[in-house]
Amino acid sequence: MNPPRIAFLGLGIMGGGMARRLLGAGFAVTVYNRNRAKSEALAAAGARVAATAREAAVAADIVFCMVADDAASRAMWLGADGALVGAPRGALVVDCSTLTVGWVQELAEAAAVRGVEFVDAPVTGSKNQAAAGELNFLVGGSGAALEKIRPALNAMGRSVTHLGPTGSGALLKLINNFMAGVHVAAMAEAFAWMERTGLDRAQALAFLSESAVGSPVTKTVAARMGAADFTPNFFLKLMAKDLGYAVGEAAKSGQTLTTAATALARFRAAVAAGHGEKDMAAVVEAARADR
Ligand code: NAP
């Protein structure tokens, strides 16, 4: 059987690395990105460049999407030149972006109406893991659809967890990033607090990193805070988006996320202060601004 032809929509920090992994594994990949310059960069690696999401999807067996948020995903799939207009009947459409469960379910229904099956497959891991094919996929959708996309997921990731029906992957991803956002906000406040004291910061951070509170994400952002290196791996504005989505999603189940709400306030303050286009570690600037 021929390998599936793939369309990849959205070539940002994550999507660019993921599409490269698919090309490296030998898949035929057609790419589309709103800002065409990012597509051209992939052309040099062997991708065919489409002028619209619709055009990218026309001859695809599997269409992947990796964009910023619900609005971007809606534009990619359901816009006038969106991929659902172009995708052939029987194709599989997969969104790997971090999205609300409500939008994912609406998208799955729109896909079904057009005779294509939808899978939500958001990821954990960041820029480096996307480039190295070491992402972890959180999958919602049918087992049969998952088996068809699994070879492509294996080219981009090191683990695939099938959580259940449509929306299950999106839901666990929001739970994951709720906790990640709280960890990062707590690290930012601890960091800014230490700066106001006589503690030896390097010694204190070394201790915290090896203690029970040294989660992988707190270690990563503490290193960036210490080096004042806010080169984007994960845009701060996107963590604010994820925390907002998590608060809204939990509320639908009757669950209040008080810790997410206060973390979100920190991230929103950082965005308002002009740090949204920096790495999420720059949330420390919002904590530093306290008086
Ligand atoms: P990014 O570098 O900012 O890329 C965002 C992508 O979305 C770009 O391709 C951008 O196109 C596109 N986009 C934004 N608004 C659009 C619109 N209205 N219409 C069409 N395209 C639009 O972000 P990223 O880090 O790759 O993140 C992508 C997704 O992965 C997000 O949902 C994020 O939460 C999730 N995620 C990120 C990480 C991470 O560590 N970075 C980890 C796990 C999950 P342009 O190039 O034209 O702007």
Side-chain angles (χ1 to χ4, degrees):
M1 208 170 72
N2 289 331
R5 296 160 301 171
I6 292 178
F8 205 104
L9 315 175
L11 305 168
I13 288 177
M14 298 297 286
M18 293 163 76
R20 272 181 204 280
R21 289 292 309 178
L22 291 169
L23 287 163
F27 290 100
V29 183
T30 301
V31 296
Y32 168 72
N33 193 69
R34 181 179 60 175
N35 169 352
R36 194 176 169 108
K38 292 180 191 166
S39 298
E40 300 299 347
L42 265 288
R48 194 181 145 268
V49 175
T52 63
R54 175 184 186 161
E55 183 190 315
V58 160
D61 301 305
I62 306 173
V63 185
F64 283 102
C65 179
M66 187 54 158
V67 291
D69 54 16
D70 283 6
S73 171
R74 184 181 287 277
M76 280 295 196
W77 293 111
L78 294 184
D81 272 319
L84 280 192
V85 183
R89 289 186 84 79
L92 289 159
V93 297
V94 186
D95 207 316
C96 299
S97 323
T98 305
L99 305 168
T100 63
V101 177
W103 162 241
V104 158
Q105 280 165 345
E106 185 184 336
L107 177 52
E109 284 163 25
V113 166
R114 292 173 192 277
V116 298
E117 188 171 348
F118 176 79
V119 178
D120 50 303
V123 301
T124 67
S126 191
K127 179 182 179 179
N128 293 341
Q129 289 72 32
E134 293 174 355
L135 296 171
N136 302 295
F137 286 91
L138 304 174
V139 176
S142 78
L146 171 56
E147 288 321 308
K148 289 183 192 155
I149 65 170
R150 193 184 285 278
L153 298 187
N154 286 345
M156 299 185 281
R158 68 174 169 204
S159 81
V160 175
T161 303
H162 187 199
L163 291 147
T166 302
S168 318
L171 179 58
L172 184 57
K173 174 61 185 171
L174 291 182
I175 294 169
N176 182 86
N177 275 32
F178 143 55
M179 295 190 65
V182 170
H183 282 213
V184 174
M187 189 68 243
E189 292 181 353
F191 198 95
W193 181 16
M194 286 190 286
E195 286 179 332
R196 295 167 195 260
T197 71
L199 276 179
D200 178 325
R201 196 180 70 189
Q203 187 186 30
L205 283 174
F207 177 83
L208 291 175
S209 291
E210 295 311 316
S211 79
V213 299
S215 71
V217 74
T218 59
K219 286 185 203 177
T220 300
V221 296
R224 290 183 196 147
M225 290 170 191
D229 179 1
F230 301 137
T231 309
N233 282 259
F234 183 29
F235 283 114
L236 190 152
K237 64 181 179 182
L238 292 181
M239 181 53 94
K241 177 257 310 187
D242 291 356
L243 284 167
Y245 284 178
V247 167
E249 206 63 58
K252 288 185 198 160
S253 305
Q255 183 60 54
T256 305
L257 303 184
T258 56
T259 53
T262 53
L264 178 55
R266 278 288 181 213
F267 278 93
R268 284 194 174 145
V271 171
H275 303 298
E277 305 290 333
K278 299 177 186 170
D279 187 77
M280 64 177 165
V283 72
V284 70
E285 301 292 6
R288 280 180 176 141
D290 286 355
R291 308 217 170 271

